[in-house]
Amino acid sequence: LSGEVGAQITRARGRLDFTYEDPGAGDSILDLKAILDAFHLSGIAMTNGRVRVTGSPAGTLVIPLISADCHAGRLAGTASIFPGDKDARGYTLDLRLSDVRFANVLQDLDSVPEEEASIPPDERRGLLSAGVNLRGVVGDAATRRGRGQVTVLGGRIVSMPVLMGIVRMSNLQLPLDERVDYALVDFFVDGDVVLIEEASVQSRNVTIYGFGTAAWPQLDLDMRFRSRSKSRIPLISSVVEGIRDELVTIHVGGTLRKPEVGLTTLPTTSRLVRRGVGIPPSEQERRLDRIGQRLQPGGVSGEEPVKPR
């Protein structure tokens, strides 16, 4: 079976056990249990799935149990489907992933030829945990709205030796390749676009933070980042970082599995000059400033996240 209820279910196979009672006068009752040997949820492989659905005379379907194994971790969730406008049916969906192997998720989401799909992934890429709340109209991905958070830790999440060398040199440190072993992403969902409100990745000595967008499910990236050293040289580090931030930002494109990293130079009329003549910073610069403040020890932005319109 396959279907679209906030998250796309494909290639599902298993068994259904259900009872349906219709005593008349619109008082029908449904109780369905599904045991799914395997299925894909928005492109991610799942096994040993369990789903329970109950229906009421009002036409609302309650799904109190969604569970499955996922790459040595677990999926859990709940959902509901209810009558909407005209013939449409609305839904709410709450999903949680815990301790899932990040490398396997990347392999599932990557469009690779069938003969390459069996290549064992790098098991040292860390563990992923995530939560997302969605709402929308059943079968219409364009109506999907929601928000969530993802964390990955405990391994080499992504290797970016060129970028880490540039960042370390700009902070007056030796340009050694460090593993990025912690990532945190807060995001909104708007149809097929993931609006990344705040993202940060960290190595032992450097934090890189920013915002951007990712297309779903391809996860094509368009991100803007800045960096900050954790082992700072008093006064000198602040001056160097200030000058660097006036001139360049880090741009990340490509896909989540194969990111493409580069440095973007700000326009000729640099931020430093514009501030000197009283021109306010751009929205992109203000967003990076706010994220940087929140990541400082004890930093509080005092602002609510900006929700997409």
Side-chain angles (χ1 to χ4, degrees), residues 60-99:
T60 297
L61 298 177
V62 177
I63 307 174
L65 171 66
I66 303 171
S67 69
D69 295 330
C70 179
H71 298 311
R74 290 288 294 169
L75 167 76
T78 60
S80 63
I81 301 174
F82 46 85
D85 297 333
K86 298 181 180 179
D87 295 329
R89 296 181 67 83
Y91 68 84
T92 62
L93 177 66
D94 182 5
L95 293 176
R96 297 288 182 269
L97 282 170
S98 58
D99 297 333

Side-chain angles (χ1 to χ4, degrees), residues 38-67:
F39 64 100
H40 281 69
L41 185 66
S42 292
I44 302 174
M46 307 277 173
T47 59
N48 193 30
R50 298 289 187 273
V51 179
R52 184 181 182 192
V53 181
T54 62
S56 68
T60 297
L61 298 177
V62 177
I63 307 174
L65 171 66
I66 303 171
S67 69

Side-chain angles (χ1 to χ4, degrees), residues 236-287:
I236 296 178
S237 287
S238 298
V239 172
V240 172
E241 286 179 353
I243 295 174
R244 182 202 60 221
D245 291 343
E246 299 292 341
L247 300 178
V248 298
T249 57
I250 302 166
H251 174 252
V252 178
T255 65
L256 181 62
R257 190 168 188 264
K258 298 178 180 178
E260 299 173 359
V261 181
L263 296 180
T264 302
T265 304
L266 294 181
T268 303
T269 306
S270 71
R271 190 174 165 208
L272 184 62
V273 175
R274 288 186 285 116
R275 284 187 173 180
V277 297
I279 300 175
S282 67
E283 175 59 24
Q284 173 180 307
E285 294 161 355
R286 289 196 297 268
R287 289 186 68 178

Side-chain angles (χ1 to χ4, degrees), residues 39-298:
F39 64 100
H40 281 69
L41 185 66
S42 292
I44 302 174
M46 307 277 173
T47 59
N48 193 30
R50 298 289 187 273
V51 179
R52 184 181 182 192
V53 181
T54 62
S56 68
T60 297
L61 298 177
V62 177
I63 307 174
L65 171 66
I66 303 171
S67 69
D69 295 330
C70 179
H71 298 311
R74 290 288 294 169
L75 167 76
T78 60
S80 63
I81 301 174
F82 46 85
D85 297 333
K86 298 181 180 179
D87 295 329
R89 296 181 67 83
Y91 68 84
T92 62
L93 177 66
D94 182 5
L95 293 176
R96 297 288 182 269
L97 282 170
S98 58
D99 297 333
V100 176
R101 290 174 179 164
F102 184 50
N104 295 73
V105 172
L106 293 180
Q107 180 172 282
D108 286 348
L109 296 177
D110 194 29
S111 299
V112 298
E114 192 67 27
E115 61 270 16
E116 296 181 14
S118 60
I119 297 175
D122 185 354
E123 301 296 344
R124 298 169 296 176
R125 298 290 291 274
L127 298 178
L128 178 148
S129 295
V132 61
N133 303 101
L134 298 172
R135 66 184 187 280
V137 175
V138 174
D140 187 353
T143 66
R144 181 168 46 212
R145 300 291 184 273
R147 70 174 304 166
Q149 184 179 84
V150 175
T151 61
V152 186
L153 71 161
R156 183 180 287 273
I157 298 170
V158 62
S159 179
M160 298 183 291
V162 175
L163 171 63
M164 296 306 294
I166 293 172
V167 171
R168 288 176 62 86
M169 288 185 68
S170 69
N171 287 281
L172 304 183
Q173 299 176 8
L174 294 176
L176 302 175
D177 177 23
E178 294 185 349
R179 76 174 192 174
V180 178
D181 55 9
Y182 176 80
L184 172 67
V185 178
D186 286 311
F187 63 90
F188 295 99
V189 177
D190 186 1
D192 291 330
V193 178
V194 179
L195 304 167
I196 300 173
E197 177 71 15
E198 179 177 325
S200 62
V201 294
Q202 299 183 28
S203 69
R204 184 177 66 247
N205 291 298
V206 175
T207 296
I208 303 172
Y209 59 91
F211 68 95
T213 62
W216 184 263
Q218 302 89 350
L219 290 181
D220 296 325
L221 302 175
D222 183 10
M223 303 286 297
R224 299 295 184 275
F225 287 96
R226 283 185 192 158
S227 65
R228 173 181 295 126
S229 171
K230 294 181 181 179
S231 53
R232 301 165 60 86
I233 301 174
L235 183 60
I236 296 178
S237 287
S238 298
V239 172
V240 172
E241 286 179 353
I243 295 174
R244 182 202 60 221
D245 291 343
E246 299 292 341
L247 300 178
V248 298
T249 57
I250 302 166
H251 174 252
V252 178
T255 65
L256 181 62
R257 190 168 188 264
K258 298 178 180 178
E260 299 173 359
V261 181
L263 296 180
T264 302
T265 304
L266 294 181
T268 303
T269 306
S270 71
R271 190 174 165 208
L272 184 62
V273 175
R274 288 186 285 116
R275 284 187 173 180
V277 297
I279 300 175
S282 67
E283 175 59 24
Q284 173 180 307
E285 294 161 355
R286 289 196 297 268
R287 289 186 68 178
L288 288 170
D289 288 341
R290 290 196 295 266
I291 296 171
Q293 291 170 5
R294 284 197 288 267
L295 291 175
Q296 290 178 351

